[in-house]
Amino acid sequence: MLMKPPKTEAAIGLTMSRLEALEKASGAAAFTEDMTLPGMLHGALVLSPHAHARILAYDLSRALALPGVKAVITGAEIGRRYMGLVVKDETALAVDKVRYIGEPVAAVAAIDVATARAAAALVEVEYEPLPAVFTIEEAIAEGAPILHEDFESYFKIYDASTCHLPNELTRSEIILGDVAKGFAECDVVVERVYETAAQNHVYMEPCAALAAVDGRGKVTVWSSTQSVFRTQANVHESLGIPMARIRSVVP
């Protein structure tokens, strides 16, 4: 029996419930952090305290000696595999230097969260602090410290030939109509710089990821993400795993 589709105008002006609203409101919805797998390990990251610094050395001995720790890796194990949506300029773990406070420099896998975090705190990283920039004006000023020395070699989805200032990612210009004529006809022209504060999305789900590898080497990643295909691509680009062997799931 064929059902007639509802008339479009019948839904206009009505309050429509989201399909998953009841599950979320009742607490029954399962987020990534709610999931567990048999024998799974827990991860913790070692984060950079510097905005810009060269990585000189690692000492992983104390972390590896902690009971319950299964592995500690750095950017040296992953190598220079770049990922990114618009510009492929980031590695999963920092290689050679860090470019922002909080950039991951090492990762720990352990039998539980507490052990992983304790081991991460035991990882010692020797840094050589470098001059940093903290505002747009500082970043594009003449003689500014260059954060990405290899920017020209990065893969980009746009033409970056118009970028000439230090640390300039891209440049775009949008013109609609006769701008010069419009200004000439204005009674008053006001030019100011407007700034807004940082914003928090206040999402319900905490940042989390869970991964499993099956006997055929296929990787499944469950994560809190707004772009399931970008997650798949990031894993492929940063770890070198073929796309066909990566399955990305958003619970």
Side-chain angles (χ1 to χ4, degrees), residues 32-154:
T32 303
E33 196 173 83
D34 298 319
M35 299 178 61
T36 58
L37 293 175
M40 74 179 192
L41 298 177
H42 297 260
L45 295 173
V46 181
L47 308 178
S48 166
H50 300 285
H52 193 203
R54 188 169 286 108
I55 300 173
L56 301 180
Y58 299 92
D59 185 349
L60 314 179
S61 58
R62 295 173 63 206
L64 288 169
L66 190 68
V69 172
K70 299 299 182 180
V72 181
I73 62 171
T74 68
E77 281 77 33
I78 297 177
R80 296 183 181 278
R81 295 184 178 275
Y82 292 100
M83 61 180 170
L85 177 60
V86 177
V87 180
K88 300 193 186 307
D89 60 355
E90 188 172 8
T91 54
L93 295 174
V95 179
D96 292 340
K97 77 171 190 174
V98 294
R99 295 177 173 87
Y100 60 90
I101 294 173
E103 181 169 7
V105 297
V108 175
I111 58 173
D112 54 47
V113 174
T115 302
R117 290 175 177 172
L122 294 175
V123 172
E124 298 180 17
V125 184
E126 182 182 353
Y127 297 96
E128 177 191 346
L130 300 172
V133 291
F134 298 97
T135 67
I136 294 175
E137 291 75 18
E138 290 178 4
I140 62 176
E142 185 178 353
I146 302 299
L147 300 186
H148 290 271
E149 299 89 342
D150 301 324
F151 178 74
E152 291 186 2
S153 67
Y154 293 158

Side-chain angles (χ1 to χ4, degrees), residues 7 10 29 72 75 77 108 116 132 151 165 175 182 189 196 211-212 221 229 249:
K7 293 182 178 180
V72 181
E77 281 77 33
V108 175
F151 178 74
L165 298 175
I175 298 177
V189 176
T196 61
V221 179
F229 296 110
V249 182

Side-chain angles (χ1 to χ4, degrees), residues 119-193:
L122 294 175
V123 172
E124 298 180 17
V125 184
E126 182 182 353
Y127 297 96
E128 177 191 346
L130 300 172
V133 291
F134 298 97
T135 67
I136 294 175
E137 291 75 18
E138 290 178 4
I140 62 176
E142 185 178 353
I146 302 299
L147 300 186
H148 290 271
E149 299 89 342
D150 301 324
F151 178 74
E152 291 186 2
S153 67
Y154 293 158
F155 176 85
K156 311 171 187 67
I157 64 171
Y158 63 91
D159 179 10
S161 61
T162 59
C163 300
H164 303 297
L165 298 175
N167 300 306
E168 188 174 20
L169 176 68
T170 184
R171 180 178 295 220
S172 60
E173 188 175 25
I174 301 174
I175 298 177
L176 181 63
D178 189 335
V179 177
K181 182 174 180 291
F183 274 113
E185 294 177 351
C186 289
D187 295 322
V188 178
V189 176
V190 179
E191 295 185 1
R192 291 183 178 178
V193 175

